[in-house]
Amino acid sequence: MGKTALVTGAASGIGRAAARLFALRGYDQVLCDHDEKGLRETEEELVNLRREHGESIGNATAVRVDVREEEEIREAVRIAMATYGRLDAAVNNAGISGERHPLHELPKSEFERVLSVNLTGVFLGMKHQIPEMLAAGVGSVVNVSSILGVVGYADAAAYTASKHAMIGLTRAAAVEYSSRGVRVNAVCPAFIRTPMLVRAGVLDDPEQLDFVESLHPIGRLGESDEVANAILWLAQEDSAFVTGHALMVDGGYTAR
């Protein structure tokens, strides 16, 4: 029996790139997202990979999930176990950027909305993923935080708070479960060429794009596949002595 991964936020961007990479490494997967159209596109991409490369490519099952809803998270994990019999890796990637406001103008409802997805969603994911890994005595959870999990950014208080808290949650879980075979880590991407940046208008504005690229000593934006490679490394036994870590995938952003 092959390995199984569960990926949230799999409809686009980093989540889709991670799903593609897990499939190429032979993992069966449960793909989760609230965006049903994007989710089906990811699933179809993996089906096409399997047609092209054969049975070395893992199977994929798409499940519509709102990560704020505990029952939907629980059901996705149940489907993983019922369909594939195991859960070796979980990638809690679903997240939103939220509206941009100075903190004193940030509506309470918007603050709570961002935290409900970016933080509570990750908590609920781990709450239901980890017991299955504990039962097997092995597993790896990778939470997708951000450079804003370790530094501040103007007009992004809710997002920054959620990503800082996610790293704290990751470290607490690592301390609790690593001695029982379950590792928990985070990746912290900088500005990555994803639909989130498209929606923010960064990629369509040459002046804004130049500015954002200049924030990275490497001189460019990151690509989703580059983050996915870091996720895969943390998910697999190559990183067996790594737990409770927040891995920067940031082109040097936080090195300044």
Side-chain angles (χ1 to χ4, degrees):
M1 183 182 294
K3 292 187 175 182
T4 301
L6 183 151
V7 180
T8 72
S12 64
I14 292 168
R16 180 176 290 180
R20 182 168 56 246
L21 195 54
F22 275 112
L24 288 168
R25 295 302 178 92
Y27 280 73
D28 295 320
Q29 294 179 80
V30 173
L31 309 175
C32 306
D33 207 293
H34 75 286
D35 175 3
E36 292 186 87
K37 180 177 181 294
L39 192 59
R40 299 301 174 187
E41 290 172 356
T42 300
E43 184 182 35
E44 184 60 29
E45 182 175 328
L46 301 194
V47 168
N48 289 336
L49 276 177
R50 190 172 174 86
R51 288 176 184 146
E52 180 180 351
H53 296 285
E55 294 186 1
S56 64
I57 303 299
N59 293 292
T61 302
V63 182
R64 186 195 179 282
V65 171
D66 182 337
V67 296
R68 298 170 297 182
E69 299 297 331
E70 183 167 9
E71 187 50 46
E72 294 185 18
I73 288 284
R74 181 188 287 112
E75 177 64 8
V77 173
R78 188 200 67 77
I79 288 171
M81 298 304 297
T83 306
Y84 302 116
R86 58 192 295 163
L87 184 61
D88 300 276
V91 182
N92 293 305
N93 166 70
I96 58 174
S97 58
E99 300 171 3
R100 297 289 302 277
H101 296 282
L103 187 147
H104 73 283
E105 296 177 359
L106 178 64
K108 178 173 177 283
S109 60
E110 177 62 7
F111 183 83
E112 291 174 340
R113 183 178 77 93
V114 173
L115 265 67
S116 70
V117 177
N118 295 358
L119 182 59
T120 303
V122 172
F123 159 71
L124 291 174
M126 289 198 294
K127 178 180 177 181
H128 293 285
Q129 296 151 5
I130 287 173
E132 300 298 345
M133 296 176 179
L134 290 174
V138 66
S140 178
V141 177
V142 183
N143 298 323
V144 180
S145 182
S146 167
I147 51 171
L148 301 193
V150 296
V151 300
Y153 202 85
D155 299 336
Y159 185 83
T160 301
S162 72
K163 295 300 185 175
H164 270 72
M166 187 194 298
I167 292 175
L169 194 65
T170 296
R171 288 174 173 159
V175 170
E176 290 183 29
Y177 301 113
S178 294
S179 66
R180 299 169 67 186
V182 179
R183 295 183 299 113
V184 187
N185 291 287
V187 294
C188 299
F191 288 87
I192 308 299
R193 196 182 302 274
T194 64
M196 187 179 287
L197 279 191
V198 172
R199 290 190 294 271
V202 172
L203 301 185
D204 296 327
D205 183 338
E207 184 175 340
Q208 190 175 4
L209 178 58
D210 286 346
F211 168 72
V212 171
E213 287 180 335
S214 75
L215 298 174
H216 308 76
I218 207 167
R220 62 173 176 84
L221 301 180
E223 302 294 338
S224 294
D225 285 345
E226 293 173 314
V227 184
N229 279 319
I231 290 170
L232 183 69
W233 180 73
L234 288 172
Q236 297 193 119
E237 293 181 2
D238 290 345
S239 61
F241 199 57
V242 180
T243 192
H245 182 58
L247 175 61
M248 299 300 126
V249 187
D250 69 352
Y253 186 107
T254 59
R256 290 190 183 276

